[in-house]
Structures are given as C-alpha cells and as structure tokens.
Amino acid sequence: MIRITFVSADGHGRHEVEAETGLRLLEVAQNDGQPLEGTCEGQMACSTCHVIVDPEHFARLPRAAEEEEDILDLALGAVRTSRLACQILLTPELDGLVVRMPGGHRDMQGR
C-alpha cells in the first residue's frame, strides 16, 4: 500500500489515505472526495486534475511528458511542482507522497 496525503488548497486541511500500487493518483483522489474533476478521463486533454506536488516528493516522480507540460501551461495556479494526477502512477517509490489541491481550477463541465 502507498500512503498519500492530500492537502487542501488553503493548506489547513490534510487527509491521509492508503492506495494500492498501480493505481493512478486521480482515481485515488476522486475516490477520496478530493476536488479533482478529471474531465478528459486521463487522456491529457484538460487540466482539471492538476495537483501541486510537495517539493520534497517531486523528484521521486518520473519526468512529465512534453504533452503533460503543455496541458499544465493551461492550469490555473500552476507552479514548478505541478503535475496532472492522471499521469501519476502509484509505485512503491511514491510512498508518503504529499500533494496539494490548487487554489482554483477550470470547471470544464460548466458546473
């Protein structure tokens, strides 16, 4: 099992969950009720699953593909450690991962 801590956009709320190796971070976040839309269902066609990875954990992630970086350019509040949750595959190396929800997002479904 992989431990993940989700931090609210304001930084005050923290929620730790455990997830199975091999799942995508987006799926785990949505199952935990985190505010990630994932409109394109992991096809890298939107930025609604944008998360901010704790700088301490960012180096453990595989490098983002150029396509992911292009989508992150569209994400509100993107920073150097931003990633798309749909592109983060949980591996044992990511145990203890800490991610923060961004302060704003684009609601692609118009809600």
Side-chain angles (χ1 to χ4, degrees):
M1 295 300 272
I2 308 298
R3 290 173 297 122
I4 303 158
T5 301
F6 294 108
V7 180
S8 63
D10 65 10
H12 296 294
R14 297 176 69 88
H15 190 248
E16 187 173 302
V17 299
E18 288 189 350
E20 293 181 30
T21 300
L23 293 176
R24 299 234 174 243
L25 182 61
L26 175 60
E27 179 181 0
V28 174
Q30 288 176 328
N31 288 341
D32 188 52
Q34 297 299 321
L36 294 180
E37 201 174 313
T39 302
C40 73
E41 299 178 353
Q43 301 301 308
M44 266 198 302
C46 72
S47 61
T48 61
C49 69
H50 164 228
V51 294
I52 300 169
V53 178
D54 185 275
E56 180 181 321
H57 301 107
F58 187 74
R60 291 196 237 163
L61 296 173
R63 182 172 165 82
E66 187 175 331
E67 296 85 2
E68 181 180 356
E69 290 178 358
D70 289 346
I71 294 295
L72 284 167
D73 287 342
L74 305 174
L76 293 175
V79 297
R80 187 185 61 78
T81 61
S82 289
R83 291 295 301 266
L84 297 178
C86 69
Q87 298 303 302
I88 298 175
L89 185 65
L90 298 178
T91 62
E93 296 78 27
L94 297 180
D95 186 42
L97 182 67
V98 176
V99 295
R100 181 169 54 89
M101 300 300 112
H105 70 282
R106 288 189 170 91
D107 186 341
M108 305 297 252
Q109 294 181 351
R111 291 180 288 187

